[in-house]
Structures are given as C-alpha cells and as structure tokens.
Amino acid sequence: MKIGILQCGHAMPEVVERHGEYPDMFARLLDGNGFEFETFKVVDMEFPHGVNDADGWLLTGSRHGAYEELPFIPPLEGFIRAAYAAHVPMVGICFGHQIIAQALGGKVEKYAQGWAIGRNEYDFGDLGHIALNAWHQDQVVALPRDAKVVARNRFCDNAALIYGDRAYTVQAHPEFNNDVIGDFVRLRRGQPGFPDDLMQRAQNELAKPIDDAALAQQIVDFFKKPRETANV
C-alpha cells in the first residue's frame, strides 16, 4: 500500500540532523506494515498530480497555522476536499488534524489557554487512556459536519476525530518519541512564548513511557480497512 506523505512544514535543522524530517519520523513509526512511502513537500508547493497518486495520504505537523494566509494552504484544502470526495483515506497529525478539519468546514484558532507540550494523556473511549507527546497551541474549536470526536482530555476537547472511513486525525504527535520531544524542549526552552513551568514539566516527564505504538496501530488499521471507492 502506497502512502503519500504531505509534508506541511519543516523541522528545526538541529532536529533534522538527529532524527530526520517529519516524513522520516512517520516512516519509522509505521515501519513493518507493508507501506511504501512517497513524500510531497506541499509546504514548498510540491503537490501530487492527483488524489489517486497514492492509496492513502498522511498530513504532517507544521509550525504554521491552518488559518494563515500562505500560498500552500488553499491548494492543500482543495486537495483534502478532493481526496475526501474520492474516499481516498487521509490521516492528519497536529497541523494535519487542523487543516483537514478547516478544509471540511470546521474552525481552527490559537487556543486562549496556551500550549500543550510534552506527554499528555487522552481518553480514547474503548481504547482507554493513551499517552502521547504533544506540541501545539492551535486547536480545532468547531467540528466539520461529518467529524466525530474519538479522543479528548481536559485541555483539548477535540483531540482526535474520525470522519467515517475517509479521515482519521489526531492533535498529538505519535511520531515524536521522547528523544524528539526532548530536543524540541531543549531547543525552545527560554524562548518567548514558551512558559518555563510547562517546559520544565515536559522535561520531567521524558522518562515516562508513551503509547506511540498503540496510536501507530490505529493509523495502520485505518489505512488498511476496507472502504468504498469513488472515481475522481
């Protein structure tokens, strides 16, 4: 199964040097499941020819806001709507979670209560509580018509969304293991906008396990589930 990775942002150079770019992190997260990956740097206006160029699409995180007036945002939203109409499955992570919601009629905004950084636990209903690393200030604050909430916590009401068999999106970062999030904390700590108490908490929690493998399995199962097809 071919998964097209729509790269919506670039990691910091120091992170890339140690861990690779965002598509590399996802390839490691989903390794061993028979996927073939191809990356399209949509943040740099590198788009696929069409939604059927892959069997599924994975939209990465980004330092940008979904609501920003940037050249890649309108064509990416158009691509999302076309893939949705064609029943080509999409998985969105952080920015990907937000831009899919926005493209399909939801609303994203900078959250007044600030940042979620580091290890956070989410209630995934029947799956129980899953701990994942987070790094976001923006949130989905109004849902598209077809979206159903499948995970939340006290800070983030819409932490994971399912859109039938067409899209599965998560606000947290299953691709960020503790080494990655530790480097983000180290590189950003002391910079304006990042509360020191929150950064210290994230640092203190680096020794605790996260459930990235459980979330990876959810992504794999979503991509591989039987679904309807539609011609574009």
Side-chain angles (χ1 to χ4, degrees):
M1 185 177 190
K2 181 179 178 180
I3 303 300
I5 298 179
L6 302 180
Q7 185 178 343
C8 302
H10 294 285
M12 291 178 284
E14 299 91 339
V15 171
V16 174
E17 184 177 351
R18 282 173 46 81
H19 306 286
E21 264 286 11
Y22 297 136
D24 303 307
M25 298 178 197
F26 281 108
R28 286 196 298 270
L29 178 72
L30 302 176
D31 186 38
N33 291 287
F35 292 147
E36 169 194 353
F37 298 101
E38 182 175 1
T39 296
F40 300 88
K41 297 178 182 178
V42 294
V43 67
D44 299 324
M45 298 301 293
E46 178 187 306
F47 281 83
H49 293 297
V51 299
N52 290 311
D53 284 2
D55 301 306
W57 299 100
L58 193 158
L59 286 75
T60 75
S62 177
R63 66 182 177 84
H64 301 297
Y67 44 75
E68 293 181 32
E69 295 183 1
L70 297 168
F72 80 99
I73 298 288
L76 180 56
E77 289 186 318
F79 186 92
I80 289 165
R81 289 189 286 268
Y84 193 81
H87 292 255
V88 182
M90 293 179 286
V91 168
I93 303 298
C94 198
F95 174 89
H97 165 79
Q98 297 160 7
I99 193 66
I100 289 174
Q102 180 174 286
L104 298 177
K107 183 179 180 181
V108 178
E109 64 182 32
K110 195 174 296 294
Y111 192 48
Q113 295 186 40
W115 286 86
I117 292 177
R119 187 181 187 275
N120 281 257
E121 290 192 4
Y122 302 89
D123 182 357
F124 273 79
D126 292 344
L127 294 175
H129 285 77
I130 290 179
L132 299 168
N133 282 319
W135 191 280
H136 70 95
Q137 188 174 13
D138 294 347
Q139 291 197 28
V140 176
V141 296
L143 299 181
R145 181 187 60 190
D146 296 338
K148 176 184 175 183
V149 178
V150 293
R152 56 168 49 91
N153 64 14
R154 285 184 295 178
F155 184 79
C156 186
D157 284 336
N158 304 314
L161 304 175
I162 190 83
Y163 302 72
D165 67 353
R166 305 192 199 192
Y168 177 61
T169 70
V170 180
Q171 179 59 73
H173 283 278
E175 80 282 16
F176 285 3
N177 61 30
N178 284 345
D179 288 340
V180 172
I181 208 74
D183 280 348
F184 269 87
V185 170
R186 175 178 58 84
L187 291 164
R188 291 301 193 203
R189 191 165 186 174
Q191 294 187 5
F194 294 95
D196 193 62
D197 60 340
L198 195 58
M199 301 298 264
Q200 184 61 52
R201 175 191 170 276
Q203 180 69 38
N204 293 343
E205 301 244 295
L206 288 174
K208 293 183 179 180
I210 54 170
D211 301 313
D212 50 349
L215 209 287
Q217 190 61 54
Q218 291 299 301
I219 294 171
V220 171
D221 291 346
F222 178 78
F223 273 136
K224 290 188 173 183
K225 71 186 296 185
R227 54 182 37 90
E228 300 176 26
T229 58
N231 294 322
V232 179

